[in-house]
Amino acid sequence: MALNVLSVASEAVPLVKTGGLADVVGALPAAVAPYGVAMTTLVPGYPSVMAAIGKARTIHRYDNLLGQPARLVAAKLGEHPLIVLDAPNFFARDGGPYAGPDGKDWADNWRRFAALGRAAADLAGGLVKARRFDLVHAHDWQAAMALAYLRFAPVKDSKPVPSVMTIHNMAFQGYFGREVFKELGLPRSAWKFDGVEYHGGVGMLKAGMEAASVITTVSPTYAQEIRDAEFGMGLEGLVVSRGDRVRGIVNGIDPAEWDPANDRHLSANYTSRTLGKRVANKRALEADFGLEPGDGPLFIVVSRLTWQKGMDVLLEVLDHLVGIGGRLALLGSGDAAMESEFRAAATRHPGKIGVRIGYDEALSHRMQGGGDAILVPSRFEPCGLTQLYGLAYGCVPVVARTGGLADTVIDANLAAREAGTATGIQFSGLDYPTLAAAVSRTVALYHQPDQWKAVQRNGMKADFTWKNSGKVYAELYHELTGPR
Ligand code: ADP
């Protein structure tokens, strides 16, 4: 019999997405299915989710879930079971999953996501008789309270279930004031340094990390990095104390969504053997961004525009990039000051730099299919997906050597090129000279077409689909649930 796993998250492709978390949560059920795992996903009922599932069957009604009426409805995520927490007072709002139209976080985020966690713990405790779960897998702070409820306030007489807490980004911890504790419905015993208390307030990610049977993060290098203050962001001590209960499992990409041979968004589909066809995508991209054709590489960026992503340093390097014959097409949104600086750079370099502020999934595919190189100069990067898409699409990744970027891209140094393993450009330490040098190296490599093509092909052959990581997650679930 298959192992029943409840995966809990605040985002899942194709229903709702603000970042890589959604890609992973959406792909995981299919990734683990071949290894004897039946995964059900639980997500909040935002407007986009409710619209997508249409009329769905109610499997439980709450009169009062963290202060609001709610119901659990059964639907499908692709071919896999989905449960949606429909709580209109929490989730039926204009704006994003975490913030209102003004960009400010919802003031009751602690309550909204505690409700998600409570519902998950109830489901795991047998709330709905027909649905039994052997293990709960919580993603990020928004789902972390599921594990705190399982630990401190499980459904009466339910048997304990093992759990996995995956950290997709340590920078987001779900930290709230002390006053919210009494509203969470947890016993006083949960208020302790190895419970939900954190620096005098409530730490939701921290509470999940304390309660989890195993903590995972999304690359082996990041799993190491978060043991240090620079990356652990205050939780490094807890990471170290959990020892070998902290593992790194690199994300995969979903070939149903990301495969240049079948991508419906591209003008021309291609494989590693028909790279020449990419040129049609490149021309379309140039037209889209108002760029002049040129001899140098067309760099792309698809990113949140934030300090984490190194976008401030990229801004400094743009004049150099254009000066040595590069062009740039950038798609992103985030920090308002950065958005206007990128717009200003496009005005300063007409025909050389094109900027699209916003979020556009289809365009992001066309950029990977037509760009020559994708820049990912992150200060830290738990895994990173855009470099994986770049590898799969022959859009050579130019990345900082950190986290998942270090684990997934092989630098095109002489040795790697001779060995036929190079897949991109890496640089260490993010500042103007290192990023400018990496851009220069990329331009130089681009002007050696045979070498460039080899790097593109190597990247396209590297297998970052879910095949490998799906197996590793499934093995972890089996390990934690024991012989059956
Ligand atoms: P993070 O989750 O930290 O933002 P990742 O690289 O793990 O970074 O995942 C980002 C995901 O969001 C990728 O699928 C990327 O293509 C997508 N993305 C980021 N910004 C945009 C945008 N402006 N438009 C479309 N897709 C975007």
Side-chain angles (χ1 to χ4, degrees):
M1 221 175 55
L3 203 59
N4 288 306
V5 173
L6 180 64
S7 169
V8 190
S10 55
E11 304 183 16
V13 157
L15 303 172
V16 50
K17 167 171 168 174
T18 71
L21 167 68
D23 293 289
V24 176
V25 173
L28 210 47
V32 295
Y35 309 103
V37 176
M39 180 171 276
T40 300
T41 307
L42 172 69
V43 295
Y46 312 110
S48 66
V49 176
M50 297 314 293
I53 64 173
K55 253 191 157 15
R57 194 163 51 87
T58 301
I59 55 172
H60 183 77
R61 275 183 199 283
Y62 286 99
D63 295 331
N64 180 346
L65 178 67
L66 272 288
Q68 298 295 341
R71 62 185 186 124
L72 293 169
V73 296
K76 288 268 177 196
L77 182 66
E79 293 164 11
H80 301 274
L82 174 75
I83 299 177
V84 175
L85 175 60
D86 179 26
N89 295 339
F90 287 145
F91 302 120
R93 302 177 182 180
D94 293 338
Y98 317 118
D102 59 0
K104 289 210 183 76
D105 280 357
W106 302 110
D108 61 348
N109 270 349
W110 62 272
R111 194 187 285 276
R112 302 167 75 225
F113 294 107
L116 181 70
R118 182 67 262 178
D122 290 345
L123 281 164
L127 177 76
V128 179
K129 290 282 169 289
R131 298 184 185 245
R132 297 269 169 209
F133 296 102
D134 304 302
L135 183 144
V136 175
H137 186 168
H139 300 269
D140 277 354
W141 75 263
Q142 293 91 344
M145 288 305 285
L147 309 193
Y149 285 118
L150 280 173
R151 177 178 172 200
F152 294 111
V155 172
K156 201 161 171 293
D157 298 329
S158 59
K159 71 174 193 340
V161 284
S163 58
V164 175
M165 176 79 240
T166 294
I167 303 167
H168 295 261
N169 193 334
M170 196 63 130
F172 305 114
Q173 299 188 353
Y175 180 69
F176 302 99
R178 176 190 195 111
E179 65 286 357
V180 313
F181 179 73
K182 60 181 187 309
E183 308 280 331
L184 293 174
L186 285 168
R188 287 172 67 93
S189 60
W191 183 262
K192 55 178 179 175
F193 80 97
D194 58 352
V196 305
E197 188 275 331
Y198 185 49
H199 293 303
V202 169
M204 292 196 170
L205 179 63
K206 185 252 183 181
M209 290 169 66
E210 293 279 9
S213 314
V214 161
I215 298 166
T216 71
T217 188
V218 287
S219 69
T221 294
Y222 193 61
Q224 278 302 317
E225 288 172 340
I226 56 175
R227 300 166 68 84
D228 291 329
E230 186 186 351
F231 298 96
M233 309 210 164
L235 289 170
E236 58 278 4
L238 172 51
V239 173
V240 171
S241 77
R242 303 265 359 228
D244 67 357
R245 303 263 98 187
V246 181
R247 322 248 175 106
I249 306 174
V250 79
N251 288 335
I253 65 175
D254 184 354
E257 294 289 326
W258 293 93
D259 174 5
N262 294 305
D263 190 326
R264 64 188 185 283
H265 301 296
L266 302 185
S267 307
N269 291 114
Y270 59 92
T271 67
S272 60
R273 280 194 299 277
T274 56
L275 276 171
K277 293 189 183 170
R278 289 184 98 253
V279 74
N281 300 325
K282 186 167 173 177
R283 294 290 165 259
L285 200 58
E286 287 165 348
D288 218 340
F289 277 87
L291 298 174
E292 298 159 1
D295 297 335
L298 172 55
F299 289 91
I300 65 160
V301 169
V302 180
S303 182
R304 290 187 286 120
L305 303 181
T306 63
W307 182 86
Q308 178 202 333
K309 300 290 180 179
M311 290 293 122
D312 49 327
V313 183
L314 177 63
L315 276 162
E316 292 173 21
V317 169
L318 291 181
D319 292 350
H320 171 73
L321 183 150
V322 171
I324 58 172
R327 289 161 300 143
L328 173 72
L330 176 139
L331 167 64
S333 63
D335 184 284
M338 285 184 190
E339 289 181 356
S340 51
E341 284 184 65
F342 277 112
R343 281 204 185 96
T347 310
R348 206 165 63 239
H349 295 291
K352 306 288 185 202
I353 295 183
V355 168
R356 191 73 57 85
I357 300 299
Y359 194 94
D360 188 335
E361 185 77 24
L363 179 58
S364 75
H365 285 245
R366 298 204 301 276
M367 292 172 75
Q368 298 278 9
D372 294 308
I374 179 161
L375 286 162
V376 195
S378 305
R379 285 197 167 81
F380 63 95
E381 194 58 78
C383 178
L385 289 173
T386 59
Q387 87 282 9
L388 299 183
Y389 301 144
L391 289 170
Y393 279 62
C395 184
V396 173
V398 181
V399 304
R401 188 173 291 127
T402 184
L405 301 173
D407 291 336
T408 56
V409 175
I410 299 172
D411 181 63
N413 54 45
L414 192 58
R417 275 188 281 155
E418 279 176 358
T421 54
T423 60
I425 303 277
Q426 277 194 346
F427 56 92
S428 270
L430 179 64
D431 54 19
Y432 177 88
T434 52
L435 184 55
V439 167
S440 299
R441 278 182 69 204
T442 310
V443 172
L445 188 64
Y446 182 78
H447 287 301
Q448 298 171 266
D450 289 347
Q451 299 265 351
W452 183 262
K453 252 192 223 120
V455 172
Q456 282 180 300
R457 289 213 174 98
N458 293 341
M460 293 178 82
K461 275 189 264 163
D463 186 358
F464 285 107
T465 59
W466 274 102
K467 241 184 279 143
N468 305 323
S469 300
K471 182 156 182 266
V472 179
Y473 273 113
E475 282 168 358
L476 173 62
Y477 303 149
H478 286 290
E479 173 192 327
L480 293 176
T481 48
R484 288 150 46 79

